Amino acid sequence: MNRRERLMGEALEEAGKALALGEVPVGAVVALGDRVIARAHNLRQTRRDVSAHAEILALRAAGEALGRWQLEGCELYVTLEPCAMCAGAAQQARLAALCFGAFDGRAGCCGSVYKLPADERLGGYVPVLGGLRAAECQALLDQFFSERRKKDRQSRTQA
């Protein structure tokens, strides 16, 4: 297993924590070289905070760990293709790379719907690598949404 696959494995562990909380299972880690300096998972429902995406929380923690908001030299690993908010934050942080697992054809802004980190008009360029351990990342999402649909059907039949 190479370094990037290993780091995505750490993001997958974070996604599992989100799943256990009933959150959409997205996990993220920020690495500086081989060292993970920050990790997080989705907490939107738990915190009742629209911005509590795994990526945002991990970038904030990385900034705290390094004592700076500019994260040059750091790489973000996230299990789902970032949305516009998270892709924009990654670009603003001046990351060395953004690596994600599952593609998001509905809201992904790192290649699927839009290519925000590649849009130099917005102040920078962040190299993106998508599809890293994609099957494992997608399997967690499929599990979550399957269980959610099942619960929704059960609640409709009981009503």
Side-chain angles (χ1 to χ4, degrees):
M1 182 177 298
N2 69 35
R3 180 180 70 84
R4 286 192 162 158
E5 290 170 338
R6 182 184 59 77
L7 290 166
M8 184 58 75
E10 298 213 25
L12 278 159
E13 288 178 20
E14 287 297 316
K17 293 176 185 178
L19 182 66
L21 292 172
E23 296 274 356
V24 176
V26 177
V29 298
V30 177
L32 185 55
D34 287 337
R35 184 173 58 114
V36 173
I37 59 168
R39 59 183 67 242
H41 51 274
N42 268 2
L43 289 172
R44 284 191 335 169
Q45 301 299 324
T46 303
R47 292 188 179 177
R48 295 175 178 82
D49 178 357
V50 70
S51 70
H53 289 207
E55 302 94 307
I56 298 295
L57 298 174
L59 291 170
R60 286 178 183 159
E64 287 293 318
L66 296 175
R68 56 187 164 95
W69 63 269
Q70 296 170 330
L71 303 177
E72 286 118 341
C74 294
E75 296 177 335
L76 174 64
Y77 292 82
V78 60
T79 57
L80 179 64
E81 181 180 0
C83 68
M85 174 180 68
C86 296
Q91 185 183 48
Q92 290 295 311
R94 302 178 182 162
L95 294 171
L98 190 162
C99 303
F100 69 87
F103 285 85
D104 183 352
R106 187 183 57 82
C109 286
C110 294
S112 289
V113 175
Y114 184 59
K115 297 178 182 175
L116 197 147
D119 192 335
E120 293 181 6
R121 298 172 298 174
L122 301 176
Y125 170 80
V126 176
V128 172
L129 172 64
L132 189 61
R133 295 181 70 171
E136 294 166 84
C137 296
Q138 188 64 55
L140 272 178
L141 292 161
D142 291 346
Q143 177 186 348
F144 173 81
F145 287 110
S146 174
E147 290 173 7
R148 190 166 163 183
R149 284 189 296 275
K150 182 179 176 182
K151 286 179 186 174
D152 288 349
R153 282 191 300 272
Q154 287 173 345
S155 66
R156 282 195 304 269
T157 59
Q158 293 174 355

